[in-house]
Amino acid sequence: MMEEEELEFAEELEAVLQLTPDVQLAIEQVFPSQDPLDRADFNAVEYINTLFPTEQSLANIDEVVNKIRLKIRRLDDNIRTVVRGQTNVGQDGRQALEEAQKAIQQLFSKIKDIKDKAEKSEQMVKEITRDIKQLDHAKRHLTTSITTLNHLHMLAGGVDSLEAMTRRRQYGEVANLLQGVMNVLEHFHKYMGIPQIRQLSERVKAAQTELGQQILADFEEAFPSQGTKRPGGPSNVLRDACLVANILDSRIKQEIIKKFIKQHLSEYLVLFQENQDVAWLDKIDRRYAWIKRQLVDYEEKYGRMFPREWYMTERVAVEFCHITRTELAKIMRTRAKEIEVKLLLFAIQRTTNFEGFLAKRFSGCTLTDGTLKKLESPPLSTNPFLEDEPAPEIEELVIEKGDLDQPKKPKAPDNPFHGIVSKCFEPHLYVYIESQDKNLGELIDRFVVDFKAQGPPKPNTDEGGAVLPSCADLFVYYKKCMVQCSQLSTGEPMIALTTIFQKYLREYAWKILSGNLPKTTSSSGGLTISSLLKEKEGSEVAKFTLEELCLICSILSTAEYCLATTQQLEEKLKEKVDVSLIERINLTGEMDTFSTVISSSIQLLVQDLDAACDPALTAMSKMQWQNVEHVGDQSPYVTSVILHIKQNVPIIRDNLASTRKYFTQFCIKFANSFIPKFITHLFKCKPISMVGAEQLLLDTHSLKMVLLDLPSIGSQVVRKAPASYTKIVVKGMTRAEMILKVVMAPHEPLVVFVDNYIKLLSDCNTETFQKILDMKGLKRSEQSSMLDLFRQRLPTPPAGPEGSSSLSLLAPTPEQESSRIRKLEKLIKKRL
């Protein structure tokens, strides 16, 4: 019964202590705890299982029970303390609430008293200032009334005077009076509802209308549309009338300007009609001479009649330009077949000169009304293609390489009148483009003929390979055409001219440069084994003569100059052309063409020297190396190779002195071609005796030293070879030396030989190992067992080529190497 009662009590207690999630979350935030007993989802069974996970843990159950009981007693003490502490809280709270309510009542009564006093003070102030406000309003209204009456009196009197002066044409007085009347009338805009005010406003408008019509009639009478100009100078009446027109509606001013300019230029339209002989392009100077005389005449007769801010002289000149552009465009469409390039350029030159004259004389402020779009001037550049002054004839110009780095010239100020007349020539610039196409074609043909007549350039040993003169002539002509065309138009004609440039850059590259490169032909003669063995030096004949080598170097230097100058030409064309057309300027294909010529030239030089060394390498592979009895000086084939190198390389280096980077490319390409070929022929030397291998090692070292000295061989000034070239030579020739060291090493025991091969060469290729065995002269039966052992001993491939390279270069000589190898090394050191 007791147990059942305890279970029921526990269930009731659990039901009472079941808290909502919000309350539980608030408790966890205020009293954070990691104790499992404080968790809302506490499970007694799991907690007991945690305390006693195994049967053996029940041994300390008494200790656990004592700890829990101690914790229960502490919790009871804490609860008891808290409950006792909350006994008097309710009573203290009620007392504090009553005190707060009393304080609020006292504060409210004080605020009410302050408000009552403030209202009484405000009422007292209003009574004091009431009379003052009335006097202030009366003063303001009186002042306004007096001012308005004065304005009304001025307006009424001014309108009467204005009407009277208008009838008497007293424009000088009207100009001053009209502006004052209009200013006074602005004060009465809010009174337009009053009939008298509205009537005065209508009288002012009527007076303005009458003045405008009267002034236009006076100008029509003074400058009739039909007939001759009125003799004598302008009257003071018209000058004052212009001052009145400045105040009236702007349409009156525009009408006066339009009629005057039309009447002033009417004679021009008659003199230079389309059917007149002076209207054609060959007499275009007369047009500009006529307007210059008219401008001088205008300044003398009418300069003071029109206000300065009207810019009448400039307006006359601008209207003349518009009429001239229209008339020239019309007559050129009619007589298009008669337009020749010289005539067109003459007309354009005279026109641009006239536009320059206008730019010096006028500011161009009248062009902002949308009649002409100003053209943007290209930015400055250090490129030599553009000069401020016109380019002279091509025969008079000589361009040097140093000109490419000339400092830029000061930029001329923008010409706001550029194109105001010359724009009409743009549709006919195809005549100019076709002429340049024809001229460039003839120029290229002349270059071809001159090259054949003059022959290849002479050898140059001082300043490097000479650039062909035709190259400078071509780019000078390009510069002249570009400057001339940019003065005519920066639109589609520039794109058409660029296309012509591209066409003849390619033709120059193929006809003048590639077309004149010497052709490689198989040599009928050559070195024989007997000639090498007898060391008949000087009997070898190079495939290319000295003149041909100089020609190749000259073509290479010319192509390099063309490549750099073409890049600058592209940049300058982009500066000259309109912004919207920049993307259509692209000379990358032409620059690639010159790069191809450079590569072909370098390849020809490499092939020539490489082919000259071929007979010597062939002789090396055919020598009986197993019969060599002693190690002597370097072999005849080495002497032959060195002789060819000393013959060709100094010539090439001296003729490529101005293009040093391409000489370096030549050296690198030759090393990359010669060294693999030398190793290939080295594998053909079989069988090789120990003495023969020592001789070959000596020869290889001699070739290595020559190749390392290749860039400065035969030169009085010794320069350090480029690091990239040195790395290639050291890597390639060291491999050849390692091959010979492996051949010299004894092949027994087999394991030591295989490991030595792997250390020295780091080559896991079975074919290479097979070639080494053939060079040692081993039988097939012996090779078979060694190949099997080699495959078994192959190490894991290295991480990269650098690792294998460093391994092969730094690997020490094996201890098993014979004393003959050490003697050979001493011999080499002594020789060096």
Side-chain angles (χ1 to χ4, degrees):
M1 288 295 293
M2 291 296 293
E3 293 179 357
E4 293 178 357
E5 291 178 357
E6 290 178 357
L7 289 175
E8 291 177 357
F9 176 74
E11 292 176 357
E12 293 176 357
L13 183 61
E14 184 177 358
V16 172
L17 295 178
Q18 190 69 28
L19 302 176
T20 61
D22 295 339
V23 175
Q24 187 65 37
L25 180 61
I27 293 174
E28 291 178 356
Q29 292 178 351
V30 177
F31 303 106
S33 175
Q34 301 296 329
D35 194 343
L37 296 174
D38 294 334
R39 296 179 59 183
D41 56 348
F42 174 74
N43 191 320
V45 177
E46 292 181 359
Y47 183 68
I48 293 173
N49 289 335
T50 304
L51 294 176
F52 306 104
T54 60
E55 293 182 0
Q56 289 77 8
S57 61
L58 293 174
N60 60 347
I61 187 172
D62 294 335
E63 183 180 352
V64 174
V65 171
N66 291 334
K67 289 182 179 180
I68 293 175
R69 287 176 178 171
L70 178 60
K71 189 172 184 179
I72 291 172
R73 283 197 296 272
R74 290 178 179 174
L75 289 174
D76 289 340
D77 293 340
N78 291 338
I79 293 171
R80 188 179 304 110
T81 303
V82 172
V83 170
R84 290 176 180 174
Q86 295 295 325
T87 302
N88 299 327
V89 170
Q91 184 177 355
D92 295 340
R94 285 191 296 272
Q95 184 178 355
L97 181 60
E98 291 174 357
E99 293 177 354
Q101 289 175 348
K102 291 179 181 179
I104 291 173
Q105 290 176 357
Q106 293 175 359
L107 180 61
F108 179 76
S109 61
K110 291 180 180 180
I111 293 174
K112 188 176 181 181
D113 293 341
I114 293 173
K115 182 179 179 183
D116 294 339
K117 291 179 180 179
E119 290 176 353
K120 292 178 181 179
S121 300
E122 184 179 0
Q123 187 65 27
M124 187 181 300
V125 171
K126 286 181 179 180
E127 292 177 357
I128 295 173
T129 59
R130 182 182 296 114
D131 296 336
I132 297 176
K133 286 185 177 180
Q134 289 178 354
L135 292 174
D136 186 53
H137 288 311
K139 178 183 177 183
R140 187 182 304 114
H141 293 159
L142 182 60
T143 303
T144 304
S145 300
I146 294 173
T147 303
T148 304
L149 286 174
N150 288 333
H151 287 166
L152 181 59
H153 181 266
M154 293 169 57
L155 180 61
V159 172
D160 292 338
S161 301
L162 183 62
E163 292 174 344
M165 292 176 182
T166 300
R167 287 190 296 269
R168 292 194 299 269
R169 284 182 165 79
Q170 296 176 350
Y171 295 129
E173 292 79 2
V174 168
N176 298 325
L177 180 59
L178 179 59
Q179 186 64 53
V181 169
M182 294 177 65
N183 293 336
V184 172
L185 188 59
E186 291 179 359
H187 295 283
F188 290 94
H189 282 323
K190 55 185 176 180
Y191 304 117
M192 287 300 172
I194 302 174
Q196 290 81 0
I197 301 299
R198 186 167 59 251
Q199 183 180 3
L200 288 174
S201 176
E202 291 173 356
R203 287 176 63 187
V204 172
K205 290 181 180 178
Q208 288 179 329
T209 304
E210 183 180 355
L211 275 172
Q213 295 174 354
Q214 189 170 299
I215 290 173
L216 289 176
D218 291 344
F219 270 93
E220 182 66 27
E221 181 182 354
F223 305 103
S225 300
Q226 301 295 333
T228 59
K229 300 178 185 178
R230 189 183 64 160
S235 65
N236 293 331
V237 174
L238 294 181
R239 183 181 61 197
D240 295 338
C242 291
L243 298 178
V244 176
N246 251 348
I247 304 172
L248 296 176
D249 190 356
S250 60
R251 288 176 295 181
I252 303 298
K253 170 185 170 182
Q254 296 298 330
E255 186 67 22
I256 294 173
I257 294 174
K258 181 179 179 182
K259 285 187 176 182
F260 178 81
I261 293 178
K262 181 178 180 181
Q263 191 275 341
H264 207 70
L265 296 178
S266 58
E267 181 185 351
Y268 173 70
L269 292 174
V270 175
L271 291 175
F272 294 91
Q273 286 184 2
E274 185 177 351
N275 56 359
Q276 297 295 326
D277 190 38
V278 294
W280 188 228
L281 300 180
D282 58 345
K283 296 181 177 60
I284 198 170
D285 280 342
R286 298 190 180 183
R287 294 177 181 266
Y288 305 132
W290 182 89
I291 189 60
K292 290 178 181 178
R293 291 194 302 269
Q294 292 301 312
L295 292 178
V296 173
D297 182 66
Y298 167 82
E299 291 288 349
E300 293 177 353
K301 292 183 178 181
Y302 309 105
R304 297 182 179 180
M305 186 175 73
F306 296 100
R308 184 181 299 273
E309 61 270 16
W310 285 21
Y311 301 103
M312 284 299 296
T313 310
E314 181 176 331
R315 291 181 185 275
V316 172
V318 170
E319 183 62 24
F320 166 82
C321 293
H322 293 329
I323 295 174
T324 303
R325 186 175 71 241
T326 304
E327 293 297 320
L328 288 177
K330 186 191 303 182
I331 194 172
M332 283 192 292
R333 283 196 301 269
T334 305
R335 303 172 64 176
K337 295 182 179 179
E338 301 179 30
I339 301 176
E340 298 178 354
V341 62
K342 291 184 178 180
L343 180 61
L344 180 65
L345 292 179
F346 168 78
I348 292 174
Q349 184 65 40
R350 295 297 186 269
T351 302
T352 53
N353 291 343
F354 176 69
E355 291 172 349
F357 163 77
L358 293 180
K360 295 178 181 178
R361 180 77 180 277
F362 306 115
S363 63
C365 59
T366 61
L367 299 175
T368 57
D369 55 357
T371 57
L372 180 69
K373 179 182 178 182
K374 293 186 180 180
L375 301 178
E376 295 181 359
S377 297
L380 288 174
S381 172
T382 56
N383 193 283
F385 286 104
L386 176 62
E387 293 182 357
D388 295 333
E389 61 272 11
E393 295 297 327
I394 184 170
E395 290 80 9
E396 302 174 0
L397 286 175
V398 178
I399 187 170
E400 300 291 343
K401 274 193 170 185
D403 294 343
L404 297 176
D405 301 322
Q406 287 181 353
K408 57 189 177 183
K409 298 189 176 182
K411 181 181 178 181
D414 293 341
N415 182 2
F417 296 93
H418 178 68
I420 191 171
V421 179
S422 58
K423 199 76 174 177
C424 66
F425 297 110
E426 188 166 328
H428 304 277
L429 286 180
Y430 67 89
V431 177
Y432 172 78
I433 301 299
E434 291 174 355
S435 172
Q436 297 308 321
D437 188 3
K438 179 181 177 182
N439 293 342
L440 283 169
E442 294 174 354
L443 190 63
I444 294 295
D445 294 339
R446 194 189 78 189
F447 290 161
V448 174
V449 174
D450 291 348
F451 188 90
K452 292 180 180 179
Q454 297 174 3
K458 297 180 180 180
N460 190 348
T461 58
D462 296 329
E463 300 179 357
V467 176
L468 298 179
S470 58
C471 170
D473 293 343
L474 178 66
F475 282 104
V476 167
Y477 194 84
Y478 274 10
K479 179 183 68 173
K480 172 188 173 183
C481 295
M482 182 183 63
V483 172
Q484 202 169 45
C485 188
S486 65
Q487 294 174 350
L488 309 180
S489 171
T490 58
E492 288 295 335
M494 284 292 290
I495 301 299
L497 185 66
T498 301
T499 304
I500 299 298
F501 285 175
Q502 292 175 303
K503 173 184 175 181
Y504 289 102
L505 282 174
R506 292 192 296 269
E507 286 201 13
Y508 185 84
W510 297 123
K511 289 184 178 181
I512 307 299
L513 301 182
S514 293
N516 288 303
L517 283 174
K519 302 297 186 294
T520 56
T521 55
S522 57
S523 177
S524 57
L527 293 179
T528 61
I529 301 177
S530 59
S531 64
L532 286 175
L533 294 177
K534 293 178 181 179
E535 299 184 28
K536 292 183 179 180
E537 297 183 2
S539 61
E540 302 87 347
V541 180
K543 188 171 293 184
F544 288 145
T545 63
L546 173 62
E547 289 75 13
E548 288 174 332
L549 289 176
C550 293
L551 174 61
I552 296 174
C553 294
S554 180
I555 290 176
L556 191 154
S557 300
T558 303
E560 188 267 341
Y561 175 82
C562 291
L563 176 63
T565 314
T566 301
Q567 184 177 1
Q568 295 178 347
L569 174 63
E570 180 185 42
E571 295 173 357
K572 183 52 60 179
L573 286 170
K574 289 182 177 180
E575 293 176 3
K576 285 291 187 182
V577 80
D578 289 340
V579 177
S580 58
L581 301 176
I582 287 180
E583 294 182 356
R584 296 173 61 181
I585 304 291
N586 187 358
L587 302 184
T588 304
E590 289 64 39
M591 288 187 277
D592 292 342
T593 301
F594 289 117
S595 298
T596 302
V597 174
I598 293 173
S599 299
S600 300
S601 302
I602 294 176
Q603 192 61 35
L604 278 177
L605 296 174
V606 171
Q607 288 178 0
D608 177 64
L609 183 56
D610 207 16
C613 297
D614 280 346
L617 296 180
T618 302
M620 176 192 76
S621 62
K622 292 183 178 181
M623 288 183 63
Q624 302 297 324
W625 293 102
Q626 74 275 17
N627 297 330
V628 177
E629 298 178 353
H630 63 275
V631 178
D633 202 353
Q634 64 186 21
S635 301
Y637 74 89
V638 176
T639 304
S640 176
V641 170
I642 295 175
L643 177 63
H644 285 297
I645 290 176
K646 289 184 176 180
Q647 286 177 347
N648 282 28
V649 173
I651 298 173
I652 297 172
R653 181 184 61 244
D654 293 340
N655 283 274
L656 294 182
S658 59
T659 55
R660 188 73 184 178
K661 62 179 180 180
Y662 294 116
F663 175 69
T664 302
Q665 288 187 20
F666 160 76
C667 295
I668 291 174
K669 287 188 176 182
F670 175 72
N672 283 329
S673 174
F674 176 80
I675 295 175
K677 186 179 293 186
F678 173 74
I679 293 177
T680 300
H681 282 80
L682 196 62
F683 282 130
K684 294 179 182 180
C685 299
K686 53 186 179 181
I688 302 176
S689 64
M690 183 66 66
V691 179
E694 292 176 358
Q695 181 64 49
L696 276 173
L697 185 59
L698 176 64
D699 296 340
T700 301
H701 185 78
S702 299
L703 287 175
K704 178 180 178 181
M705 293 296 103
V706 171
L707 289 176
L708 288 175
D709 191 44
L710 180 70
S712 59
I713 192 170
S715 174
Q716 297 179 355
V717 179
V718 179
R719 294 183 179 178
K720 186 178 180 180
S724 56
Y725 171 77
T726 303
K727 183 178 180 181
I728 293 173
V729 173
V730 170
K731 182 178 179 180
M733 296 305 291
T734 301
R735 175 176 171 81
E737 292 175 344
M738 293 301 109
I739 291 173
L740 292 172
K741 285 188 177 183
V742 172
V743 173
M744 293 168 61
H747 60 277
E748 291 181 352
L750 300 182
V751 175
V752 174
F753 177 78
V754 171
D755 291 344
N756 185 34
Y757 169 83
I758 294 174
K759 288 180 180 180
L760 292 177
L761 291 180
S762 299
D763 191 344
C764 299
N765 192 346
T766 308
E767 295 181 0
T768 306
F769 187 70
Q770 176 77 50
K771 293 176 181 179
I772 296 292
L773 299 181
D774 291 339
M775 293 174 70
K776 292 181 67 66
L778 298 179
K779 298 179 180 179
R780 290 296 176 181
S781 57
E782 295 176 328
Q783 293 184 12
S784 177
S785 59
M786 296 183 72
L787 285 172
D788 293 338
L789 180 61
F790 173 73
R791 296 187 183 96
Q792 295 173 6
R793 304 285 293 182
L794 282 179
T796 304
E802 296 296 332
S804 62
S805 175
S806 61
L807 179 62
S808 62
L809 293 177
L810 300 177
T813 305
E815 295 179 357
Q816 292 80 4
E817 189 172 10
S818 64
S819 60
R820 294 174 65 89
I821 297 178
R822 289 192 293 271
K823 291 180 181 180
L824 178 62
E825 291 176 348
K826 293 180 180 179
L827 177 63
I828 293 173
K829 291 180 180 179
K830 182 178 180 181
R831 175 178 173 77
L832 293 176

